[in-house]
Amino acid sequence: MTPRILTRTALAAVLALGAATTGALAASSPDELRAALVGNTFTGDMGGGGYASFFAEDGTYEDAAGGGTYEITDEGVCYPGTDFGCYEAEIDGDQLEWFQNGESAGTGVIKQGNTLE
């Protein structure tokens, strides 16, 4: 290969690798969110501190602050009537990363059942 072809090949490889690793958020679907969260507990970090929340089947959640209601929509997990808004989530096995406004808002794990009890 000539140096020019080698340089073009290397540049193409770098661009392809960058495109593969910096793609847009692959948010989990509402069905994936329901399957992972409903009846289970998220434990992790949100807003700079440890956090745990149980997502009950009746559309309520429990956490250290008491709880409230949640909805799972095309926008993610939403907390109606609060300032929390909606969070998209990317789920990989039991790992979950929350996103709000396209930015990471927290990470943690999904534990089976209500681990707050």
Side-chain angles (χ1 to χ4, degrees):
M1 279 189 177
T2 67
R4 175 177 253 168
I5 293 173
L6 186 58
T7 301
R8 286 184 186 166
T9 303
L11 179 59
V14 168
L15 291 174
L17 178 61
T21 60
T22 60
L25 165 70
S28 297
S29 72
D31 288 339
E32 291 169 322
L33 288 171
R34 279 185 202 90
L37 290 175
V38 175
N40 295 316
T41 304
F42 166 81
T43 301
D45 178 61
M46 290 210 42
Y51 173 78
S53 184
F54 171 70
F55 294 87
E57 292 178 21
D58 66 359
T60 61
Y61 69 92
E62 298 174 39
D63 60 22
T69 61
Y70 73 92
E71 296 175 347
I72 297 176
T73 71
D74 287 338
E75 295 179 51
V77 179
C78 301
Y79 300 90
T82 71
D83 292 334
F84 299 136
C86 296
Y87 292 85
E88 290 183 302
E90 188 174 271
I91 300 169
D92 184 11
D94 69 348
Q95 303 294 304
L96 181 144
E97 183 170 5
W98 296 111
F99 292 88
Q100 193 170 48
N101 302 320
E103 307 236 350
S104 179
T107 59
V109 296
I110 301 165
K111 297 183 178 181
Q112 297 296 308
N114 185 350
T115 63
L116 303 179
E117 296 179 328

